[in-house]
Amino acid sequence: MADFPSVPRVGIISQARMTSTRLPGKVLMPIGGQPMLQYHVSRLREAELPIYLAITTNTTDNPLADFAADQSLPLVRGSEDDVLSRYWSCAEQYELNLIVRVTSDCPLLDGTLIRRGVEEYIRQGDARLYLSNVLERTYPRGLDFEIFSRELLAEAFQQATQPSDREHVTPFIHQNRSGRVRFRHFTRPANRSAYRLTVDTADDFELLKVLIEQHHAHQLPTDALLDLLDAHPELVALNAHIEQKKV
């Protein structure tokens, strides 16, 4: 077990870009009079941890830079395809030794869940630990987070060579390419992994728009949000046919 600081410098790094292949510009599309990204950031702030936005150097992402400035969010810009390098640049620049990875197309991601995950990680006291709710999935897509140390991030940044590893940030870590990663899974008793709360297509966006504008889902804790979906199968059906893109 590699020792981990008892009081680490923690940062939530959210990756974003305007050139999504299936729904370009989605993160700034309006819901209830404000951009979808605003809901994402507001929910993350419930974790009471620093938040960083990692975007590309493309001019198409300048509106995201403007959003970050308006929200007083620290910003890192880097390669569109080498997202791993964006995370490493952010960790280095802000001297983070515990990183929470999230993606900006998840407007209902619950910061209180992330806080619980971070507290569990710190209790474990192991810099070789990877903790997430994505490998053993019991939460819906769209409530995803991954937590790992700067040590594991550095290892991936220095050793990962496959383009898919660089684009998707964590495969080198969670596939345990080093052979020295320890895993902890953040799960819930009742499996709701079939639900989809991420925005990748127009149908995904329509569901989130209805949930937020008609049911105030952005104000609900996770359990209440899942109760809402349980009670409204007609809403779940709006994007149940969407297949997640393969990593």
Side-chain angles (χ1 to χ4, degrees), residues 1-2 4 97-99 117-132 146-153 173 180-185:
M1 178 183 292
F4 193 74
N97 50 25
L98 184 58
I99 295 93
V118 167
E119 290 170 351
E120 175 63 21
Y121 193 108
I122 294 171
R123 278 196 297 271
Q124 294 295 310
D126 184 2
R128 304 299 306 178
L129 179 68
Y130 167 91
L131 183 150
S132 81
E146 301 171 275
I147 306 176
F148 44 88
S149 67
R150 179 189 177 99
E151 179 177 327
L152 291 181
L153 180 62
I173 299 172
R180 298 190 300 123
V181 179
R182 189 167 72 89
F183 295 91
R184 195 164 185 88
H185 306 292

PDB file of all heavy atoms in Angstrom, residues 1-2 4 97-99 117-132 146-153 173 180-185:
ATOM      1  N   MET A   1       0.843  -1.193   0.000  1.00  0.00           N
ATOM      2  CA  MET A   1       0.000   0.000   0.000  1.00  0.00           C
ATOM      3  C   MET A   1       0.882   1.248   0.000  1.00  0.00           C
ATOM      4  O   MET A   1       1.754   1.386   0.849  1.00  0.00           O
ATOM      5  CB  MET A   1      -0.922   0.008   1.239  1.00  0.00           C
ATOM      6  CG  MET A   1      -1.796   1.257   1.337  1.00  0.00           C
ATOM      7  SD  MET A   1      -2.821   1.293   2.834  1.00  0.00           S
ATOM      8  CE  MET A   1      -3.961  -0.035   2.505  1.00  0.00           C
ATOM      9  N   ALA A   2       0.676   2.140  -0.961  1.00  0.00           N
ATOM     10  CA  ALA A   2       1.406   3.398  -1.024  1.00  0.00           C
ATOM     11  C   ALA A   2       0.700   4.425  -0.145  1.00  0.00           C
ATOM     12  O   ALA A   2      -0.521   4.599  -0.234  1.00  0.00           O
ATOM     13  CB  ALA A   2       1.471   3.895  -2.463  1.00  0.00           C
ATOM     14  N   PHE A   4      -0.900   7.672   1.434  1.00  0.00           N
ATOM     15  CA  PHE A   4      -1.624   8.781   0.822  1.00  0.00           C
ATOM     16  C   PHE A   4      -1.783   9.877   1.861  1.00  0.00           C
ATOM     17  O   PHE A   4      -2.007   9.596   3.033  1.00  0.00           O
ATOM     18  CB  PHE A   4      -3.003   8.300   0.339  1.00  0.00           C
ATOM     19  CG  PHE A   4      -3.686   9.281  -0.564  1.00  0.00           C
ATOM     20  CD1 PHE A   4      -3.249   9.452  -1.867  1.00  0.00           C
ATOM     21  CD2 PHE A   4      -4.740  10.049  -0.105  1.00  0.00           C
ATOM     22  CE1 PHE A   4      -3.859  10.366  -2.699  1.00  0.00           C
ATOM     23  CE2 PHE A   4      -5.361  10.950  -0.927  1.00  0.00           C
ATOM     24  CZ  PHE A   4      -4.917  11.106  -2.229  1.00  0.00           C
ATOM     25  N   ASN A  97      -3.301  16.209  -5.602  1.00  0.00           N
ATOM     26  CA  ASN A  97      -2.857  14.822  -5.431  1.00  0.00           C
ATOM     27  C   ASN A  97      -4.018  13.839  -5.317  1.00  0.00           C
ATOM     28  O   ASN A  97      -3.807  12.649  -5.154  1.00  0.00           O
ATOM     29  CB  ASN A  97      -1.886  14.658  -4.255  1.00  0.00           C
ATOM     30  CG  ASN A  97      -2.376  15.282  -2.981  1.00  0.00           C
ATOM     31  OD1 ASN A  97      -3.574  15.438  -2.780  1.00  0.00           O
ATOM     32  ND2 ASN A  97      -1.444  15.650  -2.114  1.00  0.00           N
ATOM     33  N   LEU A  98      -5.244  14.324  -5.461  1.00  0.00           N
ATOM     34  CA  LEU A  98      -6.413  13.450  -5.567  1.00  0.00           C
ATOM     35  C   LEU A  98      -7.344  14.052  -6.612  1.00  0.00           C
ATOM     36  O   LEU A  98      -7.733  15.219  -6.507  1.00  0.00           O
ATOM     37  CB  LEU A  98      -7.136  13.305  -4.233  1.00  0.00           C
ATOM     38  CG  LEU A  98      -8.313  12.326  -4.211  1.00  0.00           C
ATOM     39  CD1 LEU A  98      -7.873  10.929  -4.614  1.00  0.00           C
ATOM     40  CD2 LEU A  98      -8.958  12.285  -2.829  1.00  0.00           C
ATOM     41  N   ILE A  99      -7.673  13.275  -7.621  1.00  0.00           N
ATOM     42  CA  ILE A  99      -8.425  13.771  -8.765  1.00  0.00           C
ATOM     43  C   ILE A  99      -9.752  13.045  -8.863  1.00  0.00           C
ATOM     44  O   ILE A  99      -9.815  11.819  -8.757  1.00  0.00           O
ATOM     45  CB  ILE A  99      -7.622  13.568 -10.086  1.00  0.00           C
ATOM     46  CG1 ILE A  99      -6.351  14.418 -10.081  1.00  0.00           C
ATOM     47  CG2 ILE A  99      -8.467  13.887 -11.302  1.00  0.00           C
ATOM     48  CD1 ILE A  99      -5.128  13.692  -9.563  1.00  0.00           C
ATOM     49  N   GLY A 117     -17.694   9.675  -1.929  1.00  0.00           N
ATOM     50  CA  GLY A 117     -16.645   8.882  -2.558  1.00  0.00           C
ATOM     51  C   GLY A 117     -15.256   9.358  -2.167  1.00  0.00           C
ATOM     52  O   GLY A 117     -14.368   8.552  -1.878  1.00  0.00           O
ATOM     53  N   VAL A 118     -15.054  10.662  -2.148  1.00  0.00           N
ATOM     54  CA  VAL A 118     -13.758  11.225  -1.764  1.00  0.00           C
ATOM     55  C   VAL A 118     -13.437  10.893  -0.311  1.00  0.00           C
ATOM     56  O   VAL A 118     -12.303  10.519   0.027  1.00  0.00           O
ATOM     57  CB  VAL A 118     -13.752  12.744  -1.998  1.00  0.00           C
ATOM     58  CG1 VAL A 118     -12.541  13.403  -1.325  1.00  0.00           C
ATOM     59  CG2 VAL A 118     -13.751  13.058  -3.496  1.00  0.00           C
ATOM     60  N   GLU A 119     -14.425  11.021   0.556  1.00  0.00           N
ATOM     61  CA  GLU A 119     -14.193  10.704   1.969  1.00  0.00           C
ATOM     62  C   GLU A 119     -13.807   9.242   2.145  1.00  0.00           C
ATOM     63  O   GLU A 119     -12.924   8.911   2.953  1.00  0.00           O
ATOM     64  CB  GLU A 119     -15.447  11.050   2.780  1.00  0.00           C
ATOM     65  CG  GLU A 119     -15.677  12.569   2.892  1.00  0.00           C
ATOM     66  CD  GLU A 119     -17.028  12.920   3.483  1.00  0.00           C
ATOM     67  OE1 GLU A 119     -17.873  11.997   3.647  1.00  0.00           O
ATOM     68  OE2 GLU A 119     -17.255  14.107   3.785  1.00  0.00           O
ATOM     69  N   GLU A 120     -14.453   8.357   1.382  1.00  0.00           N
ATOM     70  CA  GLU A 120     -14.111   6.934   1.451  1.00  0.00           C
ATOM     71  C   GLU A 120     -12.688   6.700   0.941  1.00  0.00           C
ATOM     72  O   GLU A 120     -11.934   5.917   1.529  1.00  0.00           O
ATOM     73  CB  GLU A 120     -15.110   6.121   0.635  1.00  0.00           C
ATOM     74  CG  GLU A 120     -14.789   4.633   0.520  1.00  0.00           C
ATOM     75  CD  GLU A 120     -14.795   3.913   1.867  1.00  0.00           C
ATOM     76  OE1 GLU A 120     -15.417   4.420   2.829  1.00  0.00           O
ATOM     77  OE2 GLU A 120     -14.159   2.842   1.954  1.00  0.00           O
ATOM     78  N   TYR A 121     -12.323   7.378  -0.140  1.00  0.00           N
ATOM     79  CA  TYR A 121     -10.974   7.229  -0.687  1.00  0.00           C
ATOM     80  C   TYR A 121      -9.934   7.634   0.353  1.00  0.00           C
ATOM     81  O   TYR A 121      -8.959   6.912   0.601  1.00  0.00           O
ATOM     82  CB  TYR A 121     -10.824   8.096  -1.934  1.00  0.00           C
ATOM     83  CG  TYR A 121      -9.588   7.772  -2.756  1.00  0.00           C
ATOM     84  CD1 TYR A 121      -9.706   7.122  -3.970  1.00  0.00           C
ATOM     85  CD2 TYR A 121      -8.308   8.106  -2.320  1.00  0.00           C
ATOM     86  CE1 TYR A 121      -8.592   6.801  -4.732  1.00  0.00           C
ATOM     87  CE2 TYR A 121      -7.188   7.791  -3.063  1.00  0.00           C
ATOM     88  CZ  TYR A 121      -7.329   7.143  -4.269  1.00  0.00           C
ATOM     89  OH  TYR A 121      -6.219   6.828  -5.003  1.00  0.00           O
ATOM     90  N   ILE A 122     -10.138   8.760   0.982  1.00  0.00           N
ATOM     91  CA  ILE A 122      -9.173   9.262   1.965  1.00  0.00           C
ATOM     92  C   ILE A 122      -9.078   8.312   3.152  1.00  0.00           C
ATOM     93  O   ILE A 122      -7.986   8.065   3.683  1.00  0.00           O
ATOM     94  CB  ILE A 122      -9.558  10.691   2.398  1.00  0.00           C
ATOM     95  CG1 ILE A 122      -9.404  11.642   1.210  1.00  0.00           C
ATOM     96  CG2 ILE A 122      -8.688  11.152   3.567  1.00  0.00           C
ATOM     97  CD1 ILE A 122      -9.959  13.035   1.462  1.00  0.00           C
ATOM     98  N   ARG A 123     -10.220   7.743   3.565  1.00  0.00           N
ATOM     99  CA  ARG A 123     -10.185   6.783   4.678  1.00  0.00           C
ATOM    100  C   ARG A 123      -9.326   5.577   4.335  1.00  0.00           C
ATOM    101  O   ARG A 123      -8.676   5.005   5.215  1.00  0.00           O
ATOM    102  CB  ARG A 123     -11.607   6.326   5.021  1.00  0.00           C
ATOM    103  CG  ARG A 123     -12.382   7.261   5.918  1.00  0.00           C
ATOM    104  CD  ARG A 123     -13.598   6.583   6.520  1.00  0.00           C
ATOM    105  NE  ARG A 123     -14.561   6.172   5.500  1.00  0.00           N
ATOM    106  CZ  ARG A 123     -15.547   6.938   5.041  1.00  0.00           C
ATOM    107  NH1 ARG A 123     -15.691   8.172   5.501  1.00  0.00           N
ATOM    108  NH2 ARG A 123     -16.382   6.477   4.132  1.00  0.00           N
ATOM    109  N   GLN A 124      -9.305   5.178   3.094  1.00  0.00           N
ATOM    110  CA  GLN A 124      -8.516   4.014   2.686  1.00  0.00           C
ATOM    111  C   GLN A 124      -7.014   4.282   2.780  1.00  0.00           C
ATOM    112  O   GLN A 124      -6.225   3.350   2.973  1.00  0.00           O
ATOM    113  CB  GLN A 124      -8.884   3.607   1.257  1.00  0.00           C
ATOM    114  CG  GLN A 124     -10.306   3.102   1.100  1.00  0.00           C
ATOM    115  CD  GLN A 124     -10.540   1.809   1.866  1.00  0.00           C
ATOM    116  OE1 GLN A 124      -9.780   0.861   1.753  1.00  0.00           O
ATOM    117  NE2 GLN A 124     -11.618   1.778   2.640  1.00  0.00           N
ATOM    118  N   GLY A 125      -6.600   5.528   2.603  1.00  0.00           N
ATOM    119  CA  GLY A 125      -5.201   5.899   2.790  1.00  0.00           C
ATOM    120  C   GLY A 125      -4.230   5.239   1.832  1.00  0.00           C
ATOM    121  O   GLY A 125      -3.080   4.977   2.190  1.00  0.00           O
ATOM    122  N   ASP A 126      -4.670   4.963   0.596  1.00  0.00           N
ATOM    123  CA  ASP A 126      -3.847   4.205  -0.343  1.00  0.00           C
ATOM    124  C   ASP A 126      -3.794   4.921  -1.687  1.00  0.00           C
ATOM    125  O   ASP A 126      -4.794   5.024  -2.398  1.00  0.00           O
ATOM    126  CB  ASP A 126      -4.439   2.803  -0.517  1.00  0.00           C
ATOM    127  CG  ASP A 126      -3.594   1.902  -1.410  1.00  0.00           C
ATOM    128  OD1 ASP A 126      -2.526   2.347  -1.859  1.00  0.00           O
ATOM    129  OD2 ASP A 126      -4.021   0.756  -1.639  1.00  0.00           O
ATOM    130  N   ALA A 127      -2.608   5.381  -2.066  1.00  0.00           N
ATOM    131  CA  ALA A 127      -2.430   6.104  -3.329  1.00  0.00           C
ATOM    132  C   ALA A 127      -2.534   5.202  -4.549  1.00  0.00           C
ATOM    133  O   ALA A 127      -2.584   5.695  -5.676  1.00  0.00           O
ATOM    134  CB  ALA A 127      -1.083   6.826  -3.334  1.00  0.00           C
ATOM    135  N   ARG A 128      -2.570   3.876  -4.345  1.00  0.00           N
ATOM    136  CA  ARG A 128      -2.733   2.948  -5.467  1.00  0.00           C
ATOM    137  C   ARG A 128      -4.204   2.582  -5.682  1.00  0.00           C
ATOM    138  O   ARG A 128      -4.518   1.701  -6.473  1.00  0.00           O
ATOM    139  CB  ARG A 128      -1.930   1.663  -5.219  1.00  0.00           C
ATOM    140  CG  ARG A 128      -0.453   1.841  -4.963  1.00  0.00           C
ATOM    141  CD  ARG A 128       0.280   2.484  -6.115  1.00  0.00           C
ATOM    142  NE  ARG A 128       0.073   1.781  -7.378  1.00  0.00           N
ATOM    143  CZ  ARG A 128       0.595   2.182  -8.527  1.00  0.00           C
ATOM    144  NH1 ARG A 128       1.304   3.304  -8.594  1.00  0.00           N
ATOM    145  NH2 ARG A 128       0.383   1.494  -9.645  1.00  0.00           N
ATOM    146  N   LEU A 129      -5.108   3.256  -5.016  1.00  0.00           N
ATOM    147  CA  LEU A 129      -6.530   2.936  -5.086  1.00  0.00           C
ATOM    148  C   LEU A 129      -7.202   3.684  -6.245  1.00  0.00           C
ATOM    149  O   LEU A 129      -6.933   4.855  -6.490  1.00  0.00           O
ATOM    150  CB  LEU A 129      -7.215   3.332  -3.773  1.00  0.00           C
ATOM    151  CG  LEU A 129      -8.727   3.087  -3.678  1.00  0.00           C
ATOM    152  CD1 LEU A 129      -9.027   1.598  -3.667  1.00  0.00           C
ATOM    153  CD2 LEU A 129      -9.296   3.743  -2.414  1.00  0.00           C
ATOM    154  N   TYR A 130      -8.076   2.972  -6.944  1.00  0.00           N
ATOM    155  CA  TYR A 130      -8.989   3.564  -7.919  1.00  0.00           C
ATOM    156  C   TYR A 130     -10.392   3.290  -7.408  1.00  0.00           C
ATOM    157  O   TYR A 130     -10.779   2.134  -7.201  1.00  0.00           O
ATOM    158  CB  TYR A 130      -8.764   2.941  -9.291  1.00  0.00           C
ATOM    159  CG  TYR A 130      -9.848   3.233 -10.315  1.00  0.00           C
ATOM    160  CD1 TYR A 130      -9.764   4.335 -11.157  1.00  0.00           C
ATOM    161  CD2 TYR A 130     -10.948   2.384 -10.431  1.00  0.00           C
ATOM    162  CE1 TYR A 130     -10.768   4.586 -12.103  1.00  0.00           C
ATOM    163  CE2 TYR A 130     -11.953   2.630 -11.371  1.00  0.00           C
ATOM    164  CZ  TYR A 130     -11.849   3.730 -12.194  1.00  0.00           C
ATOM    165  OH  TYR A 130     -12.832   3.975 -13.123  1.00  0.00           O
ATOM    166  N   LEU A 131     -11.180   4.338  -7.170  1.00  0.00           N
ATOM    167  CA  LEU A 131     -12.533   4.201  -6.641  1.00  0.00           C
ATOM    168  C   LEU A 131     -13.495   4.829  -7.642  1.00  0.00           C
ATOM    169  O   LEU A 131     -13.275   5.958  -8.093  1.00  0.00           O
ATOM    170  CB  LEU A 131     -12.646   4.890  -5.281  1.00  0.00           C
ATOM    171  CG  LEU A 131     -13.984   4.791  -4.532  1.00  0.00           C
ATOM    172  CD1 LEU A 131     -13.743   4.839  -3.010  1.00  0.00           C
ATOM    173  CD2 LEU A 131     -14.961   5.896  -4.930  1.00  0.00           C
ATOM    174  N   SER A 132     -14.554   4.105  -7.990  1.00  0.00           N
ATOM    175  CA  SER A 132     -15.524   4.665  -8.929  1.00  0.00           C
ATOM    176  C   SER A 132     -16.869   3.977  -8.779  1.00  0.00           C
ATOM    177  O   SER A 132     -17.000   2.949  -8.108  1.00  0.00           O
ATOM    178  CB  SER A 132     -15.036   4.511 -10.372  1.00  0.00           C
ATOM    179  OG  SER A 132     -15.292   3.198 -10.851  1.00  0.00           O
ATOM    180  N   GLU A 146     -15.061   9.020 -11.180  1.00  0.00           N
ATOM    181  CA  GLU A 146     -13.884   8.185 -10.922  1.00  0.00           C
ATOM    182  C   GLU A 146     -12.925   8.982 -10.044  1.00  0.00           C
ATOM    183  O   GLU A 146     -12.727  10.182 -10.273  1.00  0.00           O
ATOM    184  CB  GLU A 146     -13.177   7.825 -12.226  1.00  0.00           C
ATOM    185  CG  GLU A 146     -14.034   7.079 -13.235  1.00  0.00           C
ATOM    186  CD  GLU A 146     -13.326   6.965 -14.570  1.00  0.00           C
ATOM    187  OE1 GLU A 146     -13.419   7.910 -15.383  1.00  0.00           O
ATOM    188  OE2 GLU A 146     -12.651   5.934 -14.802  1.00  0.00           O
ATOM    189  N   ILE A 147     -12.323   8.324  -9.068  1.00  0.00           N
ATOM    190  CA  ILE A 147     -11.401   8.987  -8.148  1.00  0.00           C
ATOM    191  C   ILE A 147     -10.084   8.225  -8.150  1.00  0.00           C
ATOM    192  O   ILE A 147     -10.071   6.997  -7.987  1.00  0.00           O
ATOM    193  CB  ILE A 147     -11.985   9.050  -6.719  1.00  0.00           C
ATOM    194  CG1 ILE A 147     -13.384   9.692  -6.737  1.00  0.00           C
ATOM    195  CG2 ILE A 147     -11.059   9.839  -5.799  1.00  0.00           C
ATOM    196  CD1 ILE A 147     -14.079   9.698  -5.391  1.00  0.00           C
ATOM    197  N   PHE A 148      -9.002   8.956  -8.329  1.00  0.00           N
ATOM    198  CA  PHE A 148      -7.682   8.325  -8.373  1.00  0.00           C
ATOM    199  C   PHE A 148      -6.634   9.339  -7.949  1.00  0.00           C
ATOM    200  O   PHE A 148      -6.866  10.564  -7.936  1.00  0.00           O
ATOM    201  CB  PHE A 148      -7.382   7.786  -9.780  1.00  0.00           C
ATOM    202  CG  PHE A 148      -7.740   8.735 -10.891  1.00  0.00           C
ATOM    203  CD1 PHE A 148      -6.843   9.684 -11.348  1.00  0.00           C
ATOM    204  CD2 PHE A 148      -8.996   8.670 -11.488  1.00  0.00           C
ATOM    205  CE1 PHE A 148      -7.181  10.556 -12.369  1.00  0.00           C
ATOM    206  CE2 PHE A 148      -9.344   9.542 -12.509  1.00  0.00           C
ATOM    207  CZ  PHE A 148      -8.432  10.486 -12.951  1.00  0.00           C
ATOM    208  N   SER A 149      -5.481   8.837  -7.598  1.00  0.00           N
ATOM    209  CA  SER A 149      -4.405   9.688  -7.079  1.00  0.00           C
ATOM    210  C   SER A 149      -3.583  10.283  -8.204  1.00  0.00           C
ATOM    211  O   SER A 149      -3.592   9.805  -9.351  1.00  0.00           O
ATOM    212  CB  SER A 149      -3.487   8.868  -6.176  1.00  0.00           C
ATOM    213  OG  SER A 149      -2.795   7.896  -6.948  1.00  0.00           O
ATOM    214  N   ARG A 150      -2.838  11.303  -7.878  1.00  0.00           N
ATOM    215  CA  ARG A 150      -1.870  11.877  -8.813  1.00  0.00           C
ATOM    216  C   ARG A 150      -0.841  10.818  -9.226  1.00  0.00           C
ATOM    217  O   ARG A 150      -0.378  10.796 -10.364  1.00  0.00           O
ATOM    218  CB  ARG A 150      -1.188  13.071  -8.149  1.00  0.00           C
ATOM    219  CG  ARG A 150      -0.132  13.772  -9.005  1.00  0.00           C
ATOM    220  CD  ARG A 150       0.616  14.779  -8.131  1.00  0.00           C
ATOM    221  NE  ARG A 150       1.678  15.446  -8.853  1.00  0.00           N
ATOM    222  CZ  ARG A 150       1.564  16.664  -9.383  1.00  0.00           C
ATOM    223  NH1 ARG A 150       0.414  17.317  -9.272  1.00  0.00           N
ATOM    224  NH2 ARG A 150       2.572  17.233 -10.006  1.00  0.00           N
ATOM    225  N   GLU A 151      -0.503   9.927  -8.311  1.00  0.00           N
ATOM    226  CA  GLU A 151       0.455   8.865  -8.617  1.00  0.00           C
ATOM    227  C   GLU A 151      -0.057   7.983  -9.751  1.00  0.00           C
ATOM    228  O   GLU A 151       0.679   7.677 -10.701  1.00  0.00           O
ATOM    229  CB  GLU A 151       0.710   8.025  -7.366  1.00  0.00           C
ATOM    230  CG  GLU A 151       1.681   6.874  -7.568  1.00  0.00           C
ATOM    231  CD  GLU A 151       1.958   6.108  -6.279  1.00  0.00           C
ATOM    232  OE1 GLU A 151       1.953   6.740  -5.202  1.00  0.00           O
ATOM    233  OE2 GLU A 151       2.175   4.892  -6.358  1.00  0.00           O
ATOM    234  N   LEU A 152      -1.326   7.571  -9.678  1.00  0.00           N
ATOM    235  CA  LEU A 152      -1.891   6.746 -10.748  1.00  0.00           C
ATOM    236  C   LEU A 152      -2.048   7.539 -12.036  1.00  0.00           C
ATOM    237  O   LEU A 152      -1.834   7.005 -13.133  1.00  0.00           O
ATOM    238  CB  LEU A 152      -3.237   6.172 -10.310  1.00  0.00           C
ATOM    239  CG  LEU A 152      -3.216   5.119  -9.200  1.00  0.00           C
ATOM    240  CD1 LEU A 152      -4.630   4.641  -8.897  1.00  0.00           C
ATOM    241  CD2 LEU A 152      -2.324   3.944  -9.569  1.00  0.00           C
ATOM    242  N   LEU A 153      -2.423   8.803 -11.927  1.00  0.00           N
ATOM    243  CA  LEU A 153      -2.555   9.645 -13.114  1.00  0.00           C
ATOM    244  C   LEU A 153      -1.203   9.825 -13.803  1.00  0.00           C
ATOM    245  O   LEU A 153      -1.113   9.745 -15.036  1.00  0.00           O
ATOM    246  CB  LEU A 153      -3.143  11.002 -12.740  1.00  0.00           C
ATOM    247  CG  LEU A 153      -3.343  11.993 -13.884  1.00  0.00           C
ATOM    248  CD1 LEU A 153      -4.328  11.452 -14.914  1.00  0.00           C
ATOM    249  CD2 LEU A 153      -3.820  13.343 -13.350  1.00  0.00           C
ATOM    250  N   ILE A 173      -5.542   2.955 -16.103  1.00  0.00           N
ATOM    251  CA  ILE A 173      -5.670   2.755 -14.652  1.00  0.00           C
ATOM    252  C   ILE A 173      -6.650   1.630 -14.356  1.00  0.00           C
ATOM    253  O   ILE A 173      -6.307   0.657 -13.675  1.00  0.00           O
ATOM    254  CB  ILE A 173      -6.122   4.061 -13.955  1.00  0.00           C
ATOM    255  CG1 ILE A 173      -5.095   5.180 -14.162  1.00  0.00           C
ATOM    256  CG2 ILE A 173      -6.356   3.805 -12.457  1.00  0.00           C
ATOM    257  CD1 ILE A 173      -5.565   6.537 -13.659  1.00  0.00           C
ATOM    258  N   ARG A 180      -0.691  -3.046 -10.317  1.00  0.00           N
ATOM    259  CA  ARG A 180      -0.551  -2.646  -8.907  1.00  0.00           C
ATOM    260  C   ARG A 180      -1.686  -1.735  -8.436  1.00  0.00           C
ATOM    261  O   ARG A 180      -1.564  -1.048  -7.429  1.00  0.00           O
ATOM    262  CB  ARG A 180       0.792  -1.924  -8.705  1.00  0.00           C
ATOM    263  CG  ARG A 180       2.003  -2.814  -9.013  1.00  0.00           C
ATOM    264  CD  ARG A 180       3.312  -2.158  -8.583  1.00  0.00           C
ATOM    265  NE  ARG A 180       3.551  -0.892  -9.254  1.00  0.00           N
ATOM    266  CZ  ARG A 180       3.736   0.263  -8.615  1.00  0.00           C
ATOM    267  NH1 ARG A 180       3.682   0.325  -7.298  1.00  0.00           N
ATOM    268  NH2 ARG A 180       3.970   1.368  -9.304  1.00  0.00           N
ATOM    269  N   VAL A 181      -2.797  -1.733  -9.154  1.00  0.00           N
ATOM    270  CA  VAL A 181      -3.930  -0.895  -8.778  1.00  0.00           C
ATOM    271  C   VAL A 181      -4.877  -1.681  -7.874  1.00  0.00           C
ATOM    272  O   VAL A 181      -5.162  -2.852  -8.131  1.00  0.00           O
ATOM    273  CB  VAL A 181      -4.684  -0.392 -10.026  1.00  0.00           C
ATOM    274  CG1 VAL A 181      -5.883   0.461  -9.628  1.00  0.00           C
ATOM    275  CG2 VAL A 181      -3.747   0.396 -10.937  1.00  0.00           C
ATOM    276  N   ARG A 182      -5.357  -1.022  -6.815  1.00  0.00           N
ATOM    277  CA  ARG A 182      -6.368  -1.626  -5.951  1.00  0.00           C
ATOM    278  C   ARG A 182      -7.707  -0.964  -6.261  1.00  0.00           C
ATOM    279  O   ARG A 182      -7.763   0.240  -6.526  1.00  0.00           O
ATOM    280  CB  ARG A 182      -6.004  -1.429  -4.469  1.00  0.00           C
ATOM    281  CG  ARG A 182      -6.900  -2.207  -3.506  1.00  0.00           C
ATOM    282  CD  ARG A 182      -6.301  -2.241  -2.105  1.00  0.00           C
ATOM    283  NE  ARG A 182      -6.370  -0.963  -1.429  1.00  0.00           N
ATOM    284  CZ  ARG A 182      -7.403  -0.565  -0.679  1.00  0.00           C
ATOM    285  NH1 ARG A 182      -8.473  -1.341  -0.545  1.00  0.00           N
ATOM    286  NH2 ARG A 182      -7.382   0.603  -0.065  1.00  0.00           N
ATOM    287  N   PHE A 183      -8.772  -1.745  -6.213  1.00  0.00           N
ATOM    288  CA  PHE A 183     -10.077  -1.247  -6.637  1.00  0.00           C
ATOM    289  C   PHE A 183     -11.064  -1.193  -5.472  1.00  0.00           C
ATOM    290  O   PHE A 183     -11.061  -2.055  -4.600  1.00  0.00           O
ATOM    291  CB  PHE A 183     -10.657  -2.142  -7.737  1.00  0.00           C
ATOM    292  CG  PHE A 183      -9.862  -2.110  -9.006  1.00  0.00           C
ATOM    293  CD1 PHE A 183      -8.834  -3.022  -9.215  1.00  0.00           C
ATOM    294  CD2 PHE A 183     -10.105  -1.162  -9.976  1.00  0.00           C
ATOM    295  CE1 PHE A 183      -8.078  -2.999 -10.371  1.00  0.00           C
ATOM    296  CE2 PHE A 183      -9.360  -1.123 -11.143  1.00  0.00           C
ATOM    297  CZ  PHE A 183      -8.340  -2.044 -11.336  1.00  0.00           C
ATOM    298  N   ARG A 184     -11.895  -0.164  -5.515  1.00  0.00           N
ATOM    299  CA  ARG A 184     -13.022  -0.075  -4.585  1.00  0.00           C
ATOM    300  C   ARG A 184     -14.219   0.450  -5.378  1.00  0.00           C
ATOM    301  O   ARG A 184     -14.102   1.440  -6.105  1.00  0.00           O
ATOM    302  CB  ARG A 184     -12.708   0.841  -3.402  1.00  0.00           C
ATOM    303  CG  ARG A 184     -13.695   0.683  -2.249  1.00  0.00           C
ATOM    304  CD  ARG A 184     -13.150   1.282  -0.966  1.00  0.00           C
ATOM    305  NE  ARG A 184     -14.009   1.038   0.162  1.00  0.00           N
ATOM    306  CZ  ARG A 184     -13.959  -0.031   0.946  1.00  0.00           C
ATOM    307  NH1 ARG A 184     -13.059  -0.974   0.693  1.00  0.00           N
ATOM    308  NH2 ARG A 184     -14.772  -0.165   1.969  1.00  0.00           N
ATOM    309  N   HIS A 185     -15.350  -0.243  -5.239  1.00  0.00           N
ATOM    310  CA  HIS A 185     -16.525   0.082  -6.042  1.00  0.00           C
ATOM    311  C   HIS A 185     -17.562   0.802  -5.186  1.00  0.00           C
ATOM    312  O   HIS A 185     -17.904   0.343  -4.095  1.00  0.00           O
ATOM    313  CB  HIS A 185     -17.123  -1.189  -6.642  1.00  0.00           C
ATOM    314  CG  HIS A 185     -16.119  -1.998  -7.409  1.00  0.00           C
ATOM    315  ND1 HIS A 185     -15.564  -1.558  -8.587  1.00  0.00           N
ATOM    316  CD2 HIS A 185     -15.556  -3.208  -7.142  1.00  0.00           C
ATOM    317  CE1 HIS A 185     -14.710  -2.461  -9.033  1.00  0.00           C
ATOM    318  NE2 HIS A 185     -14.683  -3.473  -8.177  1.00  0.00           N
TER     319      HIS A 185
END
